Every structure is written in structure tokens, then in C-alpha cells.
Amino acid sequence: FIFEESVLSEKRMGITDVLESVKENAEGEKVELGEVVEHLENRGFGPILLAPALVALLPTGAIPGIPSACGILIFLIAIQMAWGKKHPWLPKRLKSIGFSQDKLGTVIDKATPYTKKVDRWFKPRVSILSEGIVKRAVAVLCALAGLVMIPLELVPFAVMLPAFAIVLAAVGLSTEDGIVIFIASIIMVSSFYLLYVNYIQ
């Protein structure tokens, strides 16, 4: 799996942009999580967080172990974002986890018509929620939501809640949509409650 070098534009990236970018630059039989992240890292932390969250949310997340791997990846990316790092560091073993390029392409083709409609909802609003200390607080929530995905993988479909919240938060950060970030934060807190109900209570 190889990503072709290209000049990255400065435009904000929505869900469809990230999916199409991953698909168009993929070659070979296996898609590795690390190379997806490396391809998107110059776009900012929003798209980087979005990629593994989408992998967990879409049917690719049904592959055993993928939700947990994506959760750990999201945690590492988000916690470094909270610390103010510009480029995330990821362990080699985690970056090497992958899945079929053909399967990913099929999932993206099926999802794209729907994501194009969803992307119309996102626009710059209440941008203060995508900046400064608020942005770092959202990153901490995303990191915790990533960890929550690990035990919730054992509960059917439960991992979709934190994954969906991280997708919203990532797109909100990428498009400077503070309202979406706020909604995502509420959903992430709800996923923490789901963990409490299933494993702690």
C-alpha cells in the first residue's frame, strides 16, 4: 500500500474529502493505518483523527481487533494534539495494522453518496470552540473516547457511539464548526456513560 505524493490544498476537509483522498492514493492489496495517518498529517489533526474513526464506524470496524486498534490510534493522536504537538508519533506495530484495499474501496464507494449529503451540514460556526484551550479539551475527550472503544468492542455495535462522536469532533475541528464539536462532546460523554453501565456499575 503506497500513497502517491501530491500537493495538499489548504481547503477544509469533510468526511467525503478524507475518504476519497484515502481511496485515490491507495495502491496494492493492504491498507495500513499508519500510512493513512502519514498521508493526512499535513492537513491537521482533524482529518488525522477522522480517518481511524471512520474505519471503526464503517463496516471495516466489524473486523475483529480493528476497533481496538483504531481506539488506541485515536488516543495517541488526540493526546499529542492536546499537548500541542504538530506531528503525531505512532508505534510501528500499530501503524502496520491493515486490511484489504479492495474491501476498503467497496466500503468507501457505498458510503460516499451518503457522506456527500452529510458534509453539507458542516460550515464554520462558533469557531472559538475549534481553537486554543477549547480545542485541547476536545482533544482530551477524543483521547478518552478512543480508549472507551477498546472495551466496548466486546459489546455488539456499542463502539459505533464513540466512533461516531469522534468523527463529528474531527470534522468539526477540520471545518471549524463549533456547533458540531459541541454535539460531538455530548455524545462522547454519553459513550463514557455506556462504558460505566456495561463494565463498572
Side-chain angles (χ1 to χ4, degrees):
F1 172 79
I2 301 172
F3 277 121
E4 299 173 349
E5 292 185 3
S6 60
V7 178
L8 298 176
S9 68
E10 296 297 327
K11 73 171 185 173
R12 300 178 180 92
M13 294 189 78
I15 299 173
T16 307
D17 295 322
V18 170
L19 289 176
E20 290 182 344
S21 180
V22 169
K23 180 184 176 183
E24 290 173 3
N25 290 278
E27 296 180 354
E29 297 181 356
K30 183 181 178 183
V31 179
E32 294 185 350
L33 291 175
E35 290 176 296
V36 172
V37 171
E38 289 174 4
H39 171 67
L40 294 169
E41 68 175 344
N42 289 328
R43 298 281 196 165
F45 274 96
I48 299 176
L49 278 175
L50 181 57
L54 281 172
V55 169
L57 181 63
L58 295 173
T60 45
I63 302 172
I66 289 296
S68 292
C70 289
I72 297 171
L73 188 62
I74 289 166
F75 170 78
L76 292 174
I77 293 170
I79 206 68
Q80 291 177 77
M81 173 182 169
W83 286 340
K85 290 194 66 174
K86 293 183 178 180
H87 302 285
W89 171 87
L90 300 172
K92 289 183 179 180
R93 178 173 294 184
L94 186 60
K95 291 194 295 184
S96 66
I97 295 174
F99 34 82
S100 166
Q101 191 271 343
D102 289 338
K103 180 176 290 186
L104 179 65
T106 300
V107 169
I108 290 175
D109 287 340
K110 291 181 179 179
T112 298
Y114 301 100
T115 60
K116 286 181 178 178
K117 295 178 181 179
V118 172
D119 279 334
R120 297 173 187 167
W121 301 346
F122 306 114
K123 58 184 177 182
R125 296 176 289 191
V126 197
S127 58
I128 190 173
L129 295 180
S130 64
E131 301 170 353
I133 192 168
V134 179
K135 177 180 179 180
R136 295 194 179 195
V138 172
V140 171
L141 282 178
C142 288
L144 293 174
L147 289 180
V148 165
M149 288 170 59
I150 300 172
L152 288 184
E153 181 177 354
L154 301 176
V155 180
F157 307 110
V159 76
M160 295 181 69
L161 184 62
F164 176 65
I166 296 167
V167 165
L168 287 182
V171 177
L173 290 170
S174 180
T175 59
E176 300 176 9
D177 194 329
I179 292 178
V180 169
I181 292 172
F182 178 72
I183 294 172
S185 299
I186 293 175
I187 299 175
M188 280 189 274
V189 172
S190 298
S191 71
F192 303 155
Y193 177 73
L194 183 62
L195 176 67
Y196 171 77
V197 169
N198 282 279
Y199 289 95
I200 301 174
Q201 190 174 31

